[in-house]
Amino acid sequence: MPHRAEMAYLEAALRHMRLQLMQLRPGDEVEGIDLGLRAMLGLRQEYDAFSRVLFGFIRPEAVYRLTDPFGCSYVFFALPEGEGTVLVGPYLTRDLSQEQVLELTERLGLPLQYARQLTDHYAALPVFADAGVIMALISAMGERLWGGVASYETIDLFSEATEAVPLPVDAASLEENSITLQMQAISRRYDYENEMMEAVSKGLLQRVEQITGHISQLNFEQRMADPLRNAKNYCIICNTLLRKAAERGGVHPLHIDRVSSQYAVQIENKATPKACTELIGEMFRTYCRLVRSHTVSRYPAPVQKALIYIEENLSGELGLQTLANVLELSPGYLSALFRQETGQTLTGHITDVRMKHAMHLLTTTQLQVQTVAQLCGIPDANYFTKLFRRRYGVTPRLYRREPPGS
């Protein structure tokens, strides 16, 4: 099949953005294009109209953008040499609230009790307020297919503002199919959450950034009438799941508990569902960074214990002999093993951790420099200043006044 490599790359890139790609030919089953929404509503005849759009008048060397009456957006184009039509979507161009779903349900002429089914459907879709990243991928594909960006055009078939004509709904079919759609939506949400937790447990920050950039308020499972309480409850659930993901990633519970406790307070202070949505993205990224910076599972047990003990006792005595006594190892063996496994001397690692903690305290508190030095296990303030300046090129006081990036 021509263009197989390009299609495989495009599909993989879109999958990372939670976007479906389908390659269709006339006569193919098309009920999957909208993830089963029209089938659930008993509107299978609408798929025929969709097929006519995809195959009836589509021109070569053109990329089409379409927003259907349900507010779902798609991009599609014809492949050369009769290879069929490529469809990307559905996705949303704005984050919908529960109230907006109710308004859309009414405008579509659907019974309001079916807003729950629509909510489940929309919650499974990624949100791209700026679809430029999608069009950039499609443009790159178009250049490969048609020889250059100037050789094809982009056509908008409908705008999102198009008023939908009330649609006839077969109530019996709706009841029969809504359970299936709801199960599919729940399955997609669980798959999404599992994928996120797996990425966090492995410290895959780039993957986490890709996914959290397009989450919706509707991802909050609606178990209570108050939207804000719903959003906060979902944040609490995410915080719990992320604790487990970080623990699976090898982070010591001491570090996990600190982060988790901070977010427990922040969750209750949020005033809107949108703020909760933003907090969830931040939580995922923070826990992912925690795994990247604190994971110890890749080291043998003695080194793990040494790393954890150092983190827990920064203000105390951390000499080689002290650590060796705590771990019941000979100093020579501990020193050699630590360097072999981490590529760093024990003393060098302790200094690194202490200096990073000092940076944190200098930029987040107004503690005196001498107090910061003591909390970092360096009681001699002059020696602390000397170490800090050697490491960062400035004194602690100047660093506090003018931290990098300020």
Side-chain angles (χ1 to χ4, degrees), residues 324-345:
N325 291 342
V326 168
L327 300 175
E328 299 180 345
L329 298 171
S330 73
Y333 176 73
L334 174 60
S335 177
L337 180 65
F338 192 94
R339 183 161 193 166
Q340 173 186 314
E341 294 296 330
T342 67
Q344 190 177 27
T345 65

Side-chain angles (χ1 to χ4, degrees), residues 70 154 193 235 243 254 294 308 341 366 387 398 400:
F70 296 96
T154 301
E193 290 174 353
C235 286
R243 286 173 59 98
L254 173 76
H294 288 287
I308 293 167
E341 294 296 330
Q366 295 301 314
L387 277 178
L398 182 59
R400 170 174 274 165

Side-chain angles (χ1 to χ4, degrees), residues 104-116:
L104 180 59
T105 305
E106 182 181 61
R107 191 166 71 246
L108 290 169
L110 299 173
L112 289 180
Q113 61 265 36
Y114 298 126
R116 173 58 190 269

Side-chain angles (χ1 to χ4, degrees), residues 21-36:
L21 179 146
M22 298 182 72
Q23 186 173 348
L24 301 163
R25 291 182 173 82
D28 284 351
E29 176 60 61
V30 296
E31 287 193 7
I33 58 176
D34 62 353
L35 305 180

Side-chain angles (χ1 to χ4, degrees), residues 298-358:
R298 63 182 181 274
Y299 298 119
V303 176
Q304 289 185 36
K305 292 177 182 178
L307 290 168
I308 293 167
Y309 186 85
I310 291 166
E311 291 277 358
E312 292 178 344
N313 297 275
L314 272 184
S315 61
E317 168 58 38
L318 292 176
L320 176 59
Q321 185 63 57
T322 299
L323 286 170
N325 291 342
V326 168
L327 300 175
E328 299 180 345
L329 298 171
S330 73
Y333 176 73
L334 174 60
S335 177
L337 180 65
F338 192 94
R339 183 161 193 166
Q340 173 186 314
E341 294 296 330
T342 67
Q344 190 177 27
T345 65
L346 194 55
T347 301
H349 174 76
I350 293 168
T351 301
D352 280 350
V353 176
R354 281 175 163 161
M355 290 299 100
K356 288 177 182 177
H357 188 50

